[in-house]
Amino acid sequence: MTTRANNCRQIAERLTAPGKGILAADESISTMSSRLEGVGVAPTAENRRTYRELLATTTGLADGVSGIIFCDETLGQTFGDGRPFAEAVSELGILAGIKVDTGAKPCPGLPGETITEGLDGLPARLAHYAEIGATFAKWRAVLTIGDCTPTWGAIGANANALARYAAACQEAGLVPIVEPEVMMTGSHPITQCEQVTATVHAAVRQQLSLLNVDLAGIVLKPNMVIEGEDCPQQSTPAEVAEATVRVLRAWPADLAGVAFLSGGQAPERATANLEALQNHQTPWPLTFSFGRALVSPALAAWAGDQAHVADGQAALSVHVAANAAARRRATAQSA
Ligand code: 13P
């Protein structure tokens, strides 16, 4: 095995270490700007920087967070004391990651569906990110359940892009987080989410294999299998966990780990589901890589007020601790 491949395996193991998960703070400039505006904060680069520094400097964050995913803008910024973000978080004992896709764009030929872009020039960008201290990357594919979607075209195109990205990351010595997200939008039942998620994962596995991606050097970031947000019948955590693990069982045992996105679930529900997932024995760790389920309460508590930095950090701490505790229970069970 090459040194880079070995390095990827070690980083992937650190990312999914017992009792820890990943913090997704990589909202694009436009998404972050609208979230700031939503709490009355001007959408400036400095406010986006301040908010990310608030998250990263939360006391004790490294106890429950192995890595933080940032976007390109943040990785080019510095903490207030002048240290670049990647260097500063690494000094806190946290791995720095970078979202390298350039977003889900309308897919020509497939009305209403998207293809995630960002492959052009990717190797050079990955080399740059590795040089400034990133150790892992993220790429998100978006599949939406509708009357006739996702189509085979969208599933295949997105799976291929995910695999090309993953192969490029491993060649650059960065761990790819492979994120095929089946969205919660819609009124579909949990059974439909299970069937679509299984189909999407099968396509992703096939493409990863065709491009010789080492599964022990990736982290899979899937949606939990859950009903659509407008479905009248809400599944219990036990039902979500069972359906999710049924889909995941198709992944080989050498996969380094699984870190779920929260996908718009309320923070408490995402945590309850993560906890229920730990009741299943699996060959790979099941952890979190939540965005909104971790940061939304923190953003609301801070709301751009310097006097409320500690409140924002306390809100983040509470949710990180709850999810890390859910994972620790699993570690205790299997010990
Ligand atoms: P959510 O947990 O808010 O879905 O975000 C995770 C993420 O990284 C989306 O790409």
Side-chain angles (χ1 to χ4, degrees):
M1 197 189 320
T2 64
T3 314
R4 282 189 176 178
N6 198 27
N7 190 38
C8 281
R9 287 186 172 198
Q10 286 176 13
I11 297 285
E13 200 178 319
R14 270 181 71 186
L15 282 170
T16 55
K20 294 196 184 188
I22 300 165
L23 169 60
D26 60 323
E27 301 88 343
S28 65
I29 291 178
S30 68
T31 301
M32 192 65 241
S33 296
S34 49
R35 292 204 180 141
L36 286 175
E37 283 178 304
V39 294
V41 180
T44 62
E46 176 54 18
N47 285 338
R48 292 189 292 272
R49 191 205 67 74
T50 303
Y51 167 65
R52 263 64 176 255
E53 180 171 350
L54 173 158
L55 297 177
T57 54
T58 296
T59 305
L61 192 65
D63 294 341
V65 163
S66 53
I68 307 179
I69 319 172
F70 294 111
C71 69
D72 174 80
E73 179 186 59
T74 312
L75 221 58
Q77 292 176 322
T78 62
F79 271 26
D81 63 12
R83 286 174 302 153
F85 262 77
E87 183 186 318
V89 300
S90 136
E91 283 170 11
L92 291 166
I94 296 173
L95 296 165
I98 174 75
K99 187 243 305 287
V100 300
D101 68 66
T102 54
K105 306 284 163 57
C107 187
L110 300 174
E113 294 192 283
T114 60
I115 176 71
T116 299
E117 294 187 348
L119 290 171
D120 287 353
L122 183 59
R125 288 195 290 131
L126 293 173
H128 166 69
Y129 292 134
E131 198 167 313
I132 62 173
T135 55
F136 69 102
K138 181 191 114 169
W139 181 289
R140 171 175 174 257
V142 180
L143 288 311
T144 306
I145 296 179
D147 287 344
C148 305
T149 62
T151 60
W152 287 109
I155 293 171
N158 278 288
N160 178 256
L162 270 171
R164 289 178 62 190
Y165 140 82
C169 283
Q170 291 189 335
E171 273 192 21
L174 294 175
V175 170
I177 291 189
V178 172
E179 181 177 5
E181 176 172 6
V182 178
M183 300 284 284
M184 272 180 79
T185 42
S187 56
H188 50 272
I190 186 171
T191 47
Q192 195 175 357
C193 180
E194 179 174 348
Q195 183 255 315
V196 170
T197 305
T199 304
V200 168
H201 285 200
V204 172
R205 269 194 307 279
Q206 182 190 41
Q207 291 294 323
L208 291 173
S209 159
L210 287 171
L211 293 187
N212 299 311
V213 172
D214 176 23
L215 294 184
I218 76 166
V219 174
L220 178 69
K221 177 165 174 167
N223 50 286
M224 294 177 186
V225 172
I226 197 164
E227 76 287 341
E229 62 195 2
D230 297 327
C231 177
Q233 196 177 350
Q234 196 178 90
S235 321
T236 64
E239 288 165 344
V240 170
E242 274 158 32
T244 302
V245 170
R246 262 199 305 272
V247 168
L248 290 174
R249 293 261 180 235
W251 286 87
D254 60 345
L255 176 68
V258 178
F260 295 99
L261 59 92
S262 60
Q265 297 178 64
E268 292 71 21
R269 189 177 183 202
T271 304
N273 288 339
L274 182 70
E275 190 170 350
L277 278 154
Q278 311 300 325
N279 292 328
H280 296 263
Q281 290 280 347
T282 57
W284 358 259
L286 301 176
T287 189
F288 60 93
S289 175
F290 295 160
R292 285 162 289 177
L294 290 176
V295 300
S296 298
L299 178 61
W302 167 61
D305 187 342
Q306 182 57 30
H308 289 144
V309 166
D311 298 327
Q313 293 181 326
L316 177 62
S317 277
V318 164
H319 290 282
V320 167
N323 288 293
R327 276 222 62 197
R328 286 198 189 99
R329 274 192 280 284
T331 312
Q333 274 163 21
S334 61

